[in-house]
Amino acid sequence: MPTIVVEVMPKAELLDPQGKAVAGALGRLGQTQSALANVSGVRVGKRFEISIEGVADAATLAAVRELADTVLSNSVIEDVVGIHVQDAPSSAVA
Amino acid sequence: MRIGVVTFPGSLDDRDAARAIRLAGADAVALWHGDHDLHGVDALVLPGGFSYGDYLRAGAIASLSPIMTEVIDAANKGMPVLGICNGFQMLTEAHLLDGGLIRNDKGRFICRDQGLRIENNASDWTTGFAANAEIVIPLKNGEGSFMASVETLKALEGEGRIVARYIGGNPNGSLNDIAGVTNARGNVVGLMPHPEHAVEAGFGPDTDNAMASGVDGLTFFTSVIAQALVAR
């Protein structure tokens, strides 16, 4: 089933308190795991996977692009950073 | 005067808002998010809470509710609309107000009595305040940090559309200490703090005179009632 993936991130210039909290926790891990010691920041965004019946044609993709800009993201505080089509909903990496 | 309060799935402060409206001297009319009917009300309150569990973005899904078609139409025709907390978030998501709200800068939910300065006493909801009145009402939210582009911020400041500013310290990282804004016409107001929780002695913030005696929030509701009388 074709799946349109939309990725949204908080605007780069805005503070991302969620990412900052995660980065703080990684920083504390970094004290014991030297491989994490050079992590300098984390930002947390969102990934939407929209399953399509049949084919993801140009019209569908255009409609999802519109949806991404108007509903899935709020341009005051977020940016759509990626839209792509994949063959199926994501599964765990091997 | 009849003031509608819209209940969304996850609204928490709809009954408090209705009570504040009654204490101010108007009739409160319960409205439902799934209807396309404002029941002929003269003004509207979008209450606080966590509509749809803040999924997607705070207020985003509620801003797409059936009743919002009528709310947006009425607001654009000049009906007074007050969005409190989650209601403010809905108004920004519905593009009735500029800017947006993000997570508090320290990542914490904040619940406290908050000092504010009312910098615009010409909006439909603030005419009862003296110029630059300083008030205290409760603030309680996790995503109250007001954000806007440099140009938007400049327009809001230049046009006097900052309704309320935090005093005594910025609680959440809001740009320019902004706690509430209005639209160009002054009929739509969004506030992160909660005036409906400071309307009756015994249940409001502490004051210098007595515990829980603060009723500064009532003036938002009496203002819109007085405005309606003038308009007639």
Side-chain angles (χ1 to χ4, degrees):
Chain A
M1 189 184 294
T3 299
I4 304 174
V5 177
V6 177
E7 290 169 324
V8 175
M9 291 296 291
K11 276 193 185 298
E13 64 269 30
L14 298 186
L15 180 68
D16 172 18
Q18 197 175 192
K20 210 175 138 193
V22 175
L26 294 188
R28 290 188 287 279
L29 277 178
Q31 291 168 7
T32 51
Q33 295 182 27
S34 58
L36 288 177
N38 57 354
V39 171
S40 62
V42 178
R43 293 170 65 235
V44 180
K46 292 178 191 146
R47 175 186 173 101
F48 301 85
E49 296 200 348
I50 302 166
S51 301
I52 305 292
E53 295 284 351
V55 287
D57 56 17
T60 307
L61 204 55
V64 170
R65 263 179 215 287
E66 169 79 15
L67 191 72
D69 289 336
T70 55
V71 176
L72 302 183
S73 71
N74 175 346
S75 64
V76 176
I77 54 178
E78 297 168 319
D79 292 320
V80 177
V81 297
I83 299 182
H84 70 269
V85 183
Q86 59 188 38
D87 293 338
S90 302
S91 51
V93 286
Chain B
M1 183 186 196
R2 301 169 75 244
I3 304 178
V5 180
V6 185
T7 298
F8 297 87
S11 291
L12 298 177
D13 301 320
D14 41 347
R15 287 185 298 176
D16 291 55
R19 192 164 159 280
I21 288 163
R22 287 193 295 272
L23 286 168
D27 295 324
V29 179
L31 301 176
W32 184 241
H33 71 102
D35 293 341
H36 277 291
D37 190 352
L38 298 182
H39 293 275
V41 297
D42 307 298
L44 281 164
V45 173
L46 303 186
F50 294 88
S51 57
Y52 294 93
D54 278 352
Y55 293 169
L56 188 61
R57 295 175 303 279
I61 298 178
S63 76
L64 303 171
S65 301
I67 202 166
M68 288 304 288
T69 313
E70 282 69 30
V71 171
I72 291 166
D73 188 50
N76 286 331
K77 286 178 180 157
M79 184 183 285
V81 179
L82 175 64
I84 303 167
C85 194
N86 195 212
F88 183 9
Q89 294 161 337
M90 289 176 208
L91 291 174
T92 63
E93 286 287 344
H95 307 296
L96 286 172
L97 289 175
D98 289 329
L101 286 309
I102 67 167
R103 236 171 265 258
N104 295 341
D105 60 350
K106 299 291 192 302
R108 292 199 184 93
F109 191 96
I110 293 169
C111 184
R112 71 183 199 199
D113 295 336
Q114 175 66 48
L116 302 174
R117 188 169 51 243
I118 304 300
E119 297 200 357
N120 173 333
N121 65 348
S123 86
D124 286 355
W125 297 89
T126 52
T127 49
F129 289 104
N132 295 313
E134 296 191 355
I135 67 168
V136 177
I137 60 177
L139 175 73
K140 44 162 203 173
N141 61 65
E143 300 192 31
S145 186
F146 183 85
M147 291 292 141
S149 68
V150 175
E151 306 83 67
T152 302
L153 210 54
K154 211 168 150 186
L156 286 170
E157 293 283 359
E159 295 164 21
R161 292 201 277 132
I162 314 299
V163 168
R165 230 184 280 268
Y166 298 114
I167 54 175
N170 184 329
N172 51 26
S174 289
L175 294 176
N176 295 19
D177 302 336
I178 291 171
V181 298
T182 185
N183 61 348
R185 197 166 175 171
N187 63 309
V188 180
V189 168
L191 274 179
M192 277 323 284
H194 290 260
E196 80 280 21
H197 295 326
V199 294
E200 185 177 9
F203 302 94
D206 292 345
T207 70
D208 291 341
N209 299 325
M211 282 176 69
S213 64
V215 294
D216 291 344
L218 196 60
T219 306
F220 288 92
F221 302 97
T222 53
S223 292
V224 78
I225 295 168
Q227 277 301 101
L229 292 174
V230 171
R232 276 175 203 160

